[in-house]
Amino acid sequence: METTATFILPGALLLLTYAFGFGLSVLGKPYNGLLFNIHKLAALGAVVLAVIQTYTLLKGAPFQFVVLALAAVWVLCVIALFATGALMSIGNLPHAPLLTVHRIALAALLLATISMVYFLAGSKP
């Protein structure tokens, strides 16, 4: 339970990111500048806090290949989310394929995060 409690703030920022991202998709293009900036900053804050918390937990945990693989998936998803978000905000690129990749990366990130927290919580003595 202690492991999952360390991810409450990053999780709350992630939910805030989801809420503002959903709001942006409902409002459509051109994106509202204030909502878009809140969405980006909440996402960045969630990533930074999650990395700090994960690093702290991995320092004291025994090595598990599955956690390393999930961390790699997590990093790739975060890169894909930031890249597709930036490309969608430009406005002169095809929107539908970028949005599809953005949504797939979002779902994969959520699954990888839940799985990683589960495995990290199980590795604590």
Side-chain angles (χ1 to χ4, degrees), residues 46-98:
V47 168
V48 168
L49 287 173
V51 166
I52 290 169
Q53 297 295 352
T54 302
Y55 177 75
T56 302
L57 288 173
L58 286 177
K59 277 194 325 188
F63 176 76
Q64 294 180 353
F65 178 75
V66 70
V67 173
L68 181 64
L70 288 169
V73 169
W74 196 89
V75 167
L76 291 174
C77 288
V78 167
I79 291 169
L81 284 167
F82 278 105
T84 56
L87 291 173
M88 282 190 295
S89 71
I90 291 173
N92 59 358
L93 297 171
H95 187 73
L98 292 172

Side-chain angles (χ1 to χ4, degrees), residues 15-71:
L15 290 175
L16 186 67
T17 304
Y18 288 161
F20 280 100
F22 181 74
L24 286 168
S25 68
V26 167
L27 293 174
K29 294 187 85 160
Y31 294 128
N32 179 308
L34 179 63
L35 293 179
F36 188 64
N37 285 326
I38 292 172
H39 175 73
K40 289 188 300 185
L41 292 174
L44 182 62
V47 168
V48 168
L49 287 173
V51 166
I52 290 169
Q53 297 295 352
T54 302
Y55 177 75
T56 302
L57 288 173
L58 286 177
K59 277 194 325 188
F63 176 76
Q64 294 180 353
F65 178 75
V66 70
V67 173
L68 181 64
L70 288 169

